[in-house]
Every structure is written in C-alpha cells, then in structure tokens.
Amino acid sequence: MTNVLVTGGSGQLANCIKDVARKFPKLNLIFKSSSELDITDFEKTSSIFKNQNIDYCINCAAYTDVDNAEREYKKAMLVNSYGPKNVSIACLENDAVLIHVSTDFVFDGYSSIPYKEEDLPNPLGIYGLSKFRGETAIKEHLKKFFIFRTSWLYSEHNKNFMKTMIQLSKSKKKLSVVDDQIGTPTYARDLAKTMLKIIDKKNKKYGTYHYSNEGVASWYDFAYAIFKEIESEIKLCPIKSKDYLTSAKRPYFSVLDKSKIKMNLDITIPHWRSSLNEAIINLRKEINL
C-alpha cells in the first residue's frame, strides 16, 4: 500500500478525493483537516509524516478567501507560503513526494493566449502572491514534487460558485454576473482523479503543471450554463468588473494551457460543460434541486 497524506482534509478538493478514492484501492489515504493538522506548525507536520510513514502528500490546505486576504495578509502568507515550506521540508526528510495545489491567480491576466507553466507569474493581489511564494518555497526545497495550478474549482461539496448560483436561483428572479473575466471552470472531482492517477502510476515526471477543464468561459457563461442545467427561469444579466467592485483585483484572462500535462502525464481532460453536467447529476443525488 502507498500511504498518502491529504492535508486540508475537510475542504472541497479533499472531499472530492474521498469521492473517487474507491477507484484506487492501492492507495491508503490519510485525511487530516486543518484542525487536526496545522501545516504552519512544523513539529506537528513532521511528526505525522514520520509516524504514518507517508509516501505522498497532497497539500489541499490553503487560505482561499481572495478578498479577505487583502485584509489578512499575515494569515494568508502563513498558510499559503510558510505552510507549503513546512510540508516540503517534511517531505524531504521522509523521502515523500509532494503534490501541491496552486492557482491561476499567480498570473496578472494581461495575456491574450492561454498561460503556459513557464510564463512569468505576476499576481495582482495578496492571495495570488501568497500562493506564488508557496510554489517558490516548494521548488527551493524539493526535486520530487508536482505543483498543479488550477482555476475556478467547484463541486458538490463546501462553498463554491456553482452551489451559490443554485442557491440564489431559489430566492432571486434576477441576477447580474461579470462577463469580462475569462477563464475555465474546473470540476474538483476531475482534478482529484488526476492526482490519484499520478500517484497510482508512480509517475516521476515531476514539475509544475496546469490543470483545468477544457474550454473557455466567463463567469456569466458559467452561471448561464448552471441555470440551464437546472432549468432555472432566473433572469441573468451580464455586467462589467468595474460595476462589481471587490477588495481584490481579479485577472481578466486566466485560461491555462494544458499541453504539458496531457503530453507528460498522459492525462485526458473533459470539457467544462460535460463536467458541469456530471456535477449537477451528482448534486441531485444529494439534494432536491
């Protein structure tokens, strides 16, 4: 058996890993929530690696509140930068492979073509900066790592854009969503399968990779597709980012180029619309839409 530690064990991505775990019987998944394992505490992090004989660590622990990060600079940096450093050192000491989740927010969004892994990061806000510094800390300490930059994660679990839109459709007749921020929605269950597949096959083509679903969308497009899937009659109106002010500035364009991951890791990536359909079907099994 391969022992796999999953930090941030009660978060959205970790819950999706639990959903698909049965398809990978050779992996012994050990989930630790943030309350059970604070990755900013090196001694506790190191002891879990040693006591559990960890072979791989999927680091899902993160500070993900993009707007509050502007006000909680120290907390965001502690979790997203110092935490990955601790996990990296623990991996190094125990000869474990790190799989770390990063974000499209490391880019400024001024590109007109999909971002490749070697493109220069230039985060616009504290959240993106903290995640980029986490990437840097990993690269300074490890050679055996996978960093996955992803975008617009959603699923049946926890709080996310899809579930928020569904909830709003029950209480509102009209809704405005920005149409000038372009990226790709990513079903967290697809990312979960990809990470476990890499561990299961013991792939050693380490490095930084981009993973999101195929296709391109604005947040308006994403919302429109959600409402169409659930057959909602809510009136959806497109607006510009300047008319919907937030504490943190978002990249206008953050589509990720997935050529490298498809070539190096033999990964097949579904289109975001087909994955959204699957997510809605799975959500219907849990709640009455």
Side-chain angles (χ1 to χ4, degrees):
M1 293 289 285
T2 301
N3 294 326
V4 183
L5 173 65
V6 182
T7 65
S10 60
Q12 175 178 214
L13 184 54
N15 278 320
C16 285
I17 292 172
K18 293 173 186 176
D19 289 339
V20 301
R22 67 182 182 278
K23 297 181 180 180
F24 300 88
K26 296 177 183 178
L27 305 184
N28 176 36
L29 294 160
I30 303 163
F31 294 88
K32 295 291 182 181
S33 68
S34 297
S35 59
E36 294 170 322
L37 172 57
D38 178 1
I39 62 171
T40 67
D41 186 326
F42 176 72
E43 294 303 324
K44 289 183 179 179
T45 303
S46 180
S47 65
I48 285 181
F49 272 78
K50 292 175 182 176
N51 294 336
Q52 300 282 352
N53 193 25
I54 300 301
D55 300 301
Y56 286 80
C57 173
I58 303 177
N59 183 33
C60 297
Y63 182 105
T64 58
D65 193 324
V66 176
D67 289 316
N68 275 336
E70 298 298 311
R71 296 179 287 272
E72 297 184 333
Y73 174 91
K74 290 184 178 179
K75 185 175 181 180
M77 287 294 173
L78 188 65
V79 177
N80 292 345
S81 304
Y82 186 68
K85 177 183 176 181
N86 286 342
V87 175
S88 296
I89 296 172
C91 283
L92 184 64
E93 291 179 344
N94 294 274
D95 195 30
V97 178
L98 175 59
I99 298 178
H100 177 73
V101 183
S102 192
T103 173
D104 58 328
F105 273 56
V106 301
F107 298 113
D108 57 25
Y110 297 139
S111 177
S112 58
I113 58 175
Y115 283 99
K116 295 185 178 181
E117 288 82 354
E118 61 268 23
D119 287 334
L120 186 65
N122 184 35
L124 298 174
I126 300 304
Y127 169 69
L129 178 62
S130 67
K131 294 296 286 183
F132 175 53
R133 288 185 177 175
E135 290 185 13
T136 303
I138 291 167
K139 293 175 183 178
E140 286 176 349
H141 290 87
L142 290 176
K143 291 184 178 179
K144 297 195 300 184
F145 68 85
F146 295 93
I147 293 174
F148 289 107
R149 294 181 182 141
T150 190
S151 64
W152 302 17
L153 281 182
Y154 70 93
S155 71
E156 310 90 281
H157 304 291
N158 303 62
K159 183 180 179 181
N160 58 70
F161 184 81
M162 180 188 74
K163 291 181 70 176
T164 297
M165 290 300 102
I166 292 172
Q167 193 62 38
L168 289 174
S169 72
K170 297 176 181 179
S171 59
K172 292 183 177 294
K173 295 182 179 180
K174 182 179 178 181
L175 189 65
S176 297
V177 179
V178 295
D179 69 349
D180 58 351
Q181 293 175 24
I182 309 300
T184 308
T186 304
Y187 186 23
R189 189 178 287 201
D190 290 336
L191 177 57
K193 290 176 185 175
T194 295
M195 293 191 294
L196 294 188
K197 179 181 177 182
I198 288 167
I199 297 173
D200 195 48
K201 290 191 173 183
K202 291 183 168 52
N203 197 303
K204 295 183 179 180
K205 293 182 180 179
Y206 305 121
T208 301
Y209 291 92
H210 288 171
Y211 184 94
S212 63
N213 282 126
E214 295 283 24
V216 177
S218 68
W219 287 108
Y220 172 86
D221 296 330
F222 190 19
Y224 182 89
I226 293 167
F227 295 140
K228 186 176 181 180
E229 284 286 344
I230 64 172
E231 299 179 339
S232 171
E233 296 181 356
I234 189 171
K235 183 179 180 181
L236 187 62
C237 303
I239 59 170
K240 301 304 177 186
S241 297
K242 64 181 179 63
D243 299 318
Y244 184 75
L245 298 178
T246 55
S247 299
K249 189 176 180 181
R250 269 77 170 166
Y252 279 104
F253 182 90
S254 62
V255 179
L256 301 174
D257 186 305
K258 278 87 67 175
S259 301
K260 181 180 175 182
I261 194 169
K262 288 186 283 189
M263 182 182 300
N264 285 11
L265 305 183
D266 189 28
I267 298 298
T268 300
I269 304 175
H271 194 279
W272 72 266
R273 286 184 177 273
S274 62
S275 288
L276 174 62
N277 176 262
E278 180 185 345
I280 296 293
I281 290 172
N282 289 330
L283 187 61
R284 280 199 171 103
K285 296 175 182 177
E286 299 183 13
I287 63 174
N288 183 25
L289 287 179

